[in-house]
Amino acid sequence: MKQYTFYITIIILSIFIASANIYAQCSMGSSGHQHSAKNTESHSEHKVVTPSKGYAFINDDGMQEATITIKDSYHPNTIIVKKGIPLHLNFDLQEEGCTATVSFKDFDVKKLLTPFEITEVEFTPDISGSFTFACPMNMIEGTLVVKE
Ligand SMILES: [Cu+2]
């Protein structure tokens, strides 16, 4: 009878130890979860900084090239180019509406862009200075800087 009680005690003890282990794992797991949730929270505080300045590069055709995405505004909204070299601009229009027309008044260039596609606009910036490009209602504006 005493032996029987001993075995019962062993079994109860082992159940207790096992459940204590499970509890420890659970609390460890949940605290780990809390930690990762905290990390996600701090990640969401990081703000995406959109570059506002873009430099044209010389492509294989010997033209200076740059890409401008249109979504609420021009990204980048300042393009720096060189005077006298034919310019090839890729307008990546990511919305519909008035911004589908872009005009460079100083260069007498006006182009209708296709939404959700890339439309190429080509002209040679033959005067130096800072020039505005915009949609017809001037809701969004960009600057073309032409350097000597
Ligand atoms: Cu507009």
Side-chain angles (χ1 to χ4, degrees):
M1 198 62 196
K2 212 173 179 185
Q3 215 174 22
Y4 178 76
T5 315
F6 176 75
Y7 282 125
I8 288 290
T9 310
I10 291 291
I11 288 163
I12 287 169
L13 262 177
S14 55
I15 287 170
F16 178 78
I17 288 163
S19 62
N21 270 344
I22 288 163
Y23 177 78
Q25 275 172 358
C26 268
S27 63
M28 217 158 78
S30 82
S31 77
H33 189 76
Q34 268 178 354
H35 188 71
S36 72
K38 219 172 183 178
N39 275 351
T40 310
E41 209 170 65
S42 70
H43 270 289
S44 70
E45 283 165 20
H46 287 267
K47 279 178 185 154
V48 179
V49 179
T50 315
S52 60
K53 206 187 251 186
Y55 290 84
F57 66 94
I58 303 292
N59 67 18
D60 292 341
D61 298 325
M63 299 177 85
Q64 48 186 345
E65 185 174 331
T67 298
I68 301 163
T69 301
I70 306 174
K71 194 166 187 180
D72 299 322
S73 61
Y74 297 113
H75 307 279
N77 55 24
T78 299
I79 300 288
I80 294 137
V81 302
K82 276 185 185 152
K83 184 187 160 185
I85 301 167
L87 177 62
H88 176 110
L89 292 171
N90 304 302
F91 279 96
D92 185 3
L93 180 59
Q94 292 295 318
E95 61 190 15
E96 284 175 291
C98 179
T99 56
T101 300
V102 63
S103 66
F104 295 79
K105 279 178 185 162
D106 302 279
F107 299 94
D108 209 18
V109 172
K110 195 176 186 180
K111 185 97 176 184
L112 183 64
L113 313 171
T114 311
F116 309 106
E117 272 182 38
I118 288 169
T119 307
E120 296 163 358
V121 176
E122 289 185 356
F123 63 95
T124 301
D126 47 10
I127 40 171
S128 59
S130 283
F131 308 98
T132 300
F133 57 95
C135 71
M137 293 167 76
N138 296 314
M139 287 145 54
I140 60 167
E141 283 186 357
T143 305
L144 180 73
V145 178
V146 184
K147 293 193 167 182
E148 285 284 347

